[in-house]
Amino acid sequence: MAANLHVITGRKGGWDVKRDGAVKASGHFDTKEEAIEFAEKEGKRYNVEVFIHSENGKIEKRESFGKNLY
């Protein structure tokens, strides 16, 4: 099962897309919009959830592209 994706602020600026439990980001982007676009495409591709975080780390939005288990 593929890990969920998170759009988070990058350690050196910009925005990262990171999988649950990953050490390295799957992608680094200059803008949040670019990171979200990438994360949504990957979310659809792997049927996982995408969590979009604010600059302070709180989850702003959650998108589910996986099979709903509820």
Side-chain angles (χ1 to χ4, degrees):
M1 179 178 215
N4 293 323
L5 297 165
H6 296 264
V7 175
I8 58 173
T9 54
R11 291 190 292 165
K12 297 181 180 180
W15 292 85
D16 288 343
V17 175
K18 203 169 182 184
R19 294 189 182 281
D20 283 339
V23 175
K24 289 186 172 184
S26 299
H28 177 77
F29 304 88
D30 292 331
T31 68
K32 188 174 186 178
E33 290 75 21
E34 292 170 317
I36 291 170
E37 185 178 328
F38 174 81
E40 288 175 343
K41 285 180 184 176
E42 292 294 290
K44 289 174 186 172
R45 181 177 176 192
Y46 293 105
N47 298 318
V48 297
E49 290 187 284
V50 173
F51 295 88
I52 300 167
H53 297 258
S54 64
E55 286 186 34
N56 68 7
K58 286 191 157 195
I59 295 173
E60 293 181 323
K61 187 176 178 184
R62 174 182 171 184
E63 297 185 33
S64 181
F65 298 103
K67 294 178 182 170
N68 196 343
L69 301 176
Y70 307 105

